[in-house]
Amino acid sequence: MQQQIPRIYRTFDRDNSGTLSFDEFLSAVVMMNHNVPRRQRINYLIQQNNQHGRQNGDGRISPQYGHQVFRRINDYYGLPQGTEHQCWKQVDRNNRGYVTQDELIEYISQQDAYNRRYQY
């Protein structure tokens, strides 16, 4: 567990300030609370990280924001860095240059790699 703490901390310290704001702390609590359904946790993570308008106003998620979501969730689950572009290409199979929030949630919730539980 001690080896996982720095990785988990970095995952939720979105602004790299070295401290967790209340919103960052809340994101960590929600993601680690496995009593909340997985799709709801993923939805919360996407919405929480979107406070600064990284999602298009029409509900579409841009590749840049999608990569950021994948980076954070890959960090949380201890997956290799640098795979966010590959993940994005899998969710945006039609190469539209955007996905909907529902498409992103569906993709993440169906991936076995994102279905593991860590013992904290």
Side-chain angles (χ1 to χ4, degrees):
M1 177 172 148
Q2 272 188 314
Q3 296 170 346
Q4 294 176 357
I5 291 173
R7 178 183 51 77
I8 293 169
Y9 188 85
R10 282 191 312 271
T11 298
F12 294 103
D13 183 17
R14 292 188 302 264
D15 59 3
N16 297 315
S17 66
T19 61
L20 293 182
S21 68
F22 181 73
D23 288 339
E24 292 167 337
F25 173 75
L26 191 56
S27 290
V29 169
V30 168
M31 283 302 293
M32 291 186 287
N33 182 354
H34 293 281
N35 293 323
V36 174
R38 190 166 119 131
R39 288 179 67 89
Q40 287 181 6
R41 287 185 284 136
I42 296 166
N43 184 48
Y44 179 83
L45 181 69
I46 291 169
Q47 289 180 346
Q48 187 71 15
N49 285 320
N50 190 38
Q51 290 181 8
H52 302 290
R54 294 183 187 107
Q55 184 179 28
N56 294 328
D58 57 7
R60 296 186 290 181
I61 295 175
S62 70
Q64 295 82 10
Y65 183 59
H67 288 145
Q68 181 183 10
V69 169
F70 281 119
R71 239 185 332 273
R72 298 230 180 267
I73 202 163
N74 287 348
D75 284 349
Y76 175 72
Y77 284 101
L79 299 173
Q81 294 182 358
T83 60
E84 51 275 352
H85 183 69
Q86 178 184 355
C87 294
W88 178 260
K89 288 182 76 82
Q90 290 175 5
V91 74
D92 184 17
R93 285 182 230 117
N94 296 327
N95 202 24
R96 298 176 295 180
Y98 70 89
V99 297
T100 66
Q101 184 167 324
D102 287 339
E103 289 170 333
L104 186 58
I105 291 169
E106 182 66 24
Y107 174 83
I108 293 170
S109 66
Q110 296 299 317
Q111 301 305 305
D112 289 338
Y114 302 134
N115 198 21
R116 295 182 300 190
R117 283 189 179 189
Y118 283 109
Q119 300 298 318
Y120 300 102

